[in-house]
Amino acid sequence: MKYTFVTLFPNLIEGYFKDSILKRAIDKGVLEIEYLNPRDFSKNKHFKVDDTAVGGGAGMVMNPQPLFDALDNLKQEDEDVYIIFMTPVAKPFVQNDAKRLAKRSHIAFVSGRYEGIDERVIEKYADEVYSIGDYILTGGELASLVVCDAVSRNIEGVLGNADSLEIESFETPLLEAPSFSKPQKYEGLSVPSEYLKGNHSKIRSLKFALSEAKTKFFRPEQLIKYNCLHTIDTLSQKKKR
Ligand code: ADE
């Protein structure tokens, strides 16, 4: 997978790939990262990339010209590039999106700064537009990294152990059961005794109960979704019989 980060601030992003699982994937050639700075495409004599908003409003908006030229350039180099804009005005990014996007060969993340990006750029070039949550960041760079990281974990050869993708939160509507490491007792706090007895079916049912409890506490709407899916599943099994 190749990622292109279209950003005025590549330094904000570069550090993340210098020391992580993703660095290993880059060294192995599974991932490739490049940066494209719209400022390098600005036709303004001072390389300006933003201006006040037409029609008024606070703050500066990123001009269309540098982004049009940067993205045209990118598409000329690779017609398969899939262009994603990061903005709070979009649908929320979820795990299923991460899995689906992992099948692409080249993704470009366009990060906005200032008050945002001229809408005509998004209209013309966006294959998809994502928000990472209902809050406003100072720019889309962090959001791009979040999506890039979540997508990358689903690409073969990125995680050391493929099993770690098997039963994770959001693979089903239930949150993952808690995990424990050694020692079994630490500062008087013990791992749940069932985990220690080696009866795998009992461990499985305890983990399921803990999963349900965590989901009920932290994400009750997910538990409702799980119960609905479970009911539909049971009814269709009954119908088959
Ligand atoms: N840029 C600023 N805030 C954002 C958010 N919540 N998601 C994606 N991009 C953003």
Side-chain angles (χ1 to χ4, degrees):
M1 167 79 88
K2 180 172 173 178
Y3 294 116
T4 303
F5 290 92
V6 183
T7 169
L8 296 169
F9 300 97
N11 289 345
L12 290 181
I13 294 176
E14 272 166 357
Y16 193 68
F17 298 107
K18 293 209 168 121
D19 190 12
S20 68
I21 287 178
L22 299 190
K23 177 182 185 303
R24 219 175 46 205
I26 294 167
D27 293 343
K28 280 196 289 183
V30 179
L31 300 182
E32 184 189 342
I33 313 287
E34 77 172 11
Y35 302 92
L36 202 58
N37 193 331
R39 200 176 293 285
D40 296 338
F41 293 83
S42 172
K43 290 186 174 143
N44 177 278
K45 65 177 175 199
H46 303 298
F47 298 101
K48 238 170 82 95
V49 288
D50 61 326
D51 220 322
T52 50
V54 176
M60 307 291 270
V61 178
M62 285 175 74
N63 295 133
Q65 180 275 314
L67 281 165
F68 266 52
D69 288 4
L71 295 172
D72 279 342
N73 198 277
L74 190 61
K75 285 175 80 136
Q76 256 164 35
E77 276 177 16
D78 180 3
E79 60 183 21
D80 290 333
V81 62
Y82 197 70
I83 302 178
I84 297 180
F85 283 70
M86 302 309 304
T87 148
V89 188
K91 65 179 171 180
F93 176 76
V94 296
Q95 180 69 7
N96 266 345
D97 299 313
K99 288 181 131 183
R100 183 173 46 78
L101 291 169
K103 299 191 180 104
R104 297 257 157 208
S105 58
H106 184 182
I107 295 176
F109 294 108
V110 186
S111 306
R113 280 261 141 185
Y114 316 115
E115 280 309 298
I117 294 175
D118 187 302
E119 191 70 17
R120 289 166 291 184
V121 185
I122 302 174
E123 288 284 323
K124 177 157 184 206
Y125 294 96
D127 290 307
E128 292 193 49
V129 188
Y130 281 115
S131 161
I132 61 158
D134 292 343
Y135 40 79
I136 317 284
L137 302 165
T138 54
E141 284 77 8
L142 266 179
S144 301
L145 272 179
V146 166
V147 173
C148 171
D149 189 287
V151 171
S152 299
R153 301 179 70 253
N154 291 283
I155 298 171
E156 213 183 308
V158 169
L159 292 185
N161 176 4
D163 289 346
S164 44
L165 278 178
E166 283 289 302
I167 315 159
E168 290 188 311
S169 295
F170 309 114
E171 297 298 318
T172 81
L174 292 185
L175 299 184
E176 222 177 317
S179 312
F180 301 90
S181 72
K182 295 184 186 91
Q184 292 171 3
K185 203 162 199 172
Y186 184 70
E187 295 209 349
L189 300 171
S190 183
V191 168
S193 59
E194 238 24 290
Y195 275 49
L196 307 173
K197 289 183 194 152
N199 181 332
H200 291 288
S201 111
K202 280 204 168 154
I203 293 175
R204 221 174 304 121
S205 33
L206 175 62
K207 281 193 165 181
F208 180 73
L210 292 173
S211 254
E212 269 190 322
K214 283 228 169 210
T215 313
K216 190 173 176 186
F217 188 77
F218 289 116
R219 300 288 300 274
E221 82 289 357
Q222 288 284 113
L223 190 61
I224 293 168
K225 194 166 150 191
Y226 175 79
N227 286 338
C228 286
L229 289 173
H230 189 65
T231 311
I232 293 168
D233 201 38
T234 315
L235 287 176
S236 72
Q237 295 292 343
K238 266 189 190 160
K239 238 183 184 175
K240 273 187 208 155
R241 271 188 238 131

